Amino acid sequence: MNRSLLLLSLVLSLLAVSKSDAQFEGMKYRIPADANTLILINAEKAFGSPVSDRERWAARRKAAYDAGVSALPPDATEVILAGRSDLEYGKSVWELALMKLTGERNVATVATRFGGSIDNIAGRSAARLPDDHYVVQIRSDLMGAYTPANRQDVSRWLKSTDLDTGQKMSPYLQHAFAFAAEVGTPIVMAMDLSGLVSEAAVTRKLPELGSLKDSGLSPAAVSKLIGGVQGIMLGITLEDQTIGAVRVDFEASPEILAKVGKPLLIEILSSQGAMIDDIRQWTPSVKGNTFFLRGKLSASGTRRVMSVLELPRSLGEAVNDAASSGADSEESAARIASQQYFKSVSTLLDDLRDKPKTDHVKTFGQAAIWYDKYARKIDSLPLLNVDPALLKYGSDVSGMLRDAELSMKGVGMRSSVRTGMNSPTSYGYSSYGGGYRAGRGYDGALYGPQGYSASVGAAQASVREEGRTDAVIRGQERTKGAASVQQIWQDIDSATAEIRQVMTGRYSAEF
């Protein structure tokens, strides 16, 4: 979902004048009715909190934006991210970002800076950009970004939400909105899961969940409960400390998950690459039809939650240079744009290398998620005036990251296929051990230790052999996957060193 916000932040580079509004005013009804994911950020409240003052977030926020680390401009007061995701297959149908600012903006210069075209949709100025986004000026102080850049869809979105009596969000997302707008929670993330999960699918999955093993719970009862899940929500409260709360809402009471709900949620989040280590220390509870986890959020945990707002550091330079780049010579513009592009790719690659350690990634499946995300980030970098050889390098790198993603995902699939076909046969075995008998004692008993014998039947021996060979197969596939990913990184490093040398020679400047 962060692609829309990333792009929206890049175009907010024009002059600002003071202006203020009520919280989220004019934004809620802009969310299409079929949205099933929602992120709400009250930046004004978050950066005005006691913990923000203590940690000097406001000062760091401006520095981070100026450096391109954060996608949140210093004068952004409220941000809404919404989307329609195919949650079953993990694909995005559409994504929307809305950002309200204290200063006015003008979208007219966006297309020129990013190589797009200006349009007018539903009476509003809009820039269609090469990376499949429309950036729309909804009001002078309210910007929107929509992807995919289907003009008809953007027109229907604007027209259908021009009236606040029009489309309405799903009840679950409206419930999430109330936490941000009424309760005052400055950061809320929600996903509407109603109607997504079938009891039959849960029943098939239960044997694979280690957290439910030996729980003694009725599989039928667990399947029925999870099949009625309504949604999941994460709220972050910033006071003297940063407090996080996860709530999972069901149609019925989740009392049966009182003891196993926490390890179950941790197992599910870990498998999706969305786990935050702080959650392991959070306290579970059940109230009504909701399962809760609450606890403190560390600085690293907060950064992980806010990763939807991350940007490569050098992209901020592209924003700051937008107004003056036209005065540069053609060669100078190419050099500046190419340096920024190369630095952006290098920063993303360095960050990706650190992900397994910083995010405690333990499986290939979890790591694969990040490789896809970073490949998309590289694809979304500004392209205007960038050297063609450097663009080919960036395309090659994103392609290699996707190859690594497929290789890592393939570890589990190949292991499953091979272990599924693994049916070793063993005829069992028997063993015998020493002992001897010689003569009889006074009481008539035989002298010497008694011999022993042990045997394992064919069926039991086959099961043991299958477990042993399954472990060997999984080890082989992990080794093969790790070797493949390592080779891809070596290829990336070679390509990076080569293009750096070429660009330095071509522009007589450091890359």
Side-chain angles (χ1 to χ4, degrees), residues 6-34:
L6 183 152
L7 185 43
L8 183 56
S9 68
L10 290 177
V11 304
L12 299 175
S13 57
L14 307 176
L15 295 176
V17 296
S18 179
K19 193 169 183 177
S20 63
D21 261 327
Q23 184 171 269
F24 293 110
E25 182 180 338
M27 299 176 76
K28 178 180 179 180
Y29 64 85
R30 290 289 176 192
I31 302 170
D34 64 333

Side-chain angles (χ1 to χ4, degrees), residues 330-347:
E330 185 176 341
E331 181 179 352
S332 177
R335 173 181 57 78
I336 293 171
S338 297
Q339 285 177 314
Q340 291 170 348
Y341 184 89
F342 181 77
K343 290 177 183 177
S344 296
V345 175
S346 299
T347 300

Side-chain angles (χ1 to χ4, degrees), residues 36 84-89 191-206 209 212 219-232 248-251 257 264-265 268 272:
N36 59 5
R84 174 70 185 178
S85 297
D86 185 335
L87 299 173
E88 186 173 359
Y89 294 99
M191 185 175 294
D192 185 346
L193 303 176
S194 57
L196 175 68
V197 182
S198 73
E199 290 186 33
V202 177
T203 300
R204 291 192 298 269
K205 186 71 176 178
L206 286 181
L209 297 174
L212 296 182
V222 174
S223 297
K224 183 175 182 180
L225 175 67
I226 297 179
V229 66
Q230 297 298 291
I232 184 170
V248 186
D249 297 284
F250 299 89
E251 285 184 338
L257 299 182
L264 174 61
L265 185 58
I268 293 173
Q272 299 299 315

Side-chain angles (χ1 to χ4, degrees), residues 44 94 254 387 435 439:
E44 210 165 31
W94 58 262
D387 191 286

Side-chain angles (χ1 to χ4, degrees), residues 427-448:
Y427 297 102
Y429 57 87
S430 299
S431 60
Y432 303 91
Y436 62 89
R437 292 300 192 203
R440 292 181 179 275
Y442 294 108
D443 60 356
L446 294 172
Y447 286 115

Side-chain angles (χ1 to χ4, degrees), residues 5 11 41 43 58 71 79 86 104 108 112 125-126 130 133 185 272 280 307 312 331 348 374 397 421 463 509:
L5 179 61
V11 304
I41 302 170
V79 177
D86 185 335
E104 296 181 353
T112 302
S125 296
H133 276 81
T185 306
Q272 299 299 315
R280 300 183 190 279
S307 64
E331 181 179 352
L348 286 170
Y374 276 73
V397 168
M421 298 172 62
V463 170

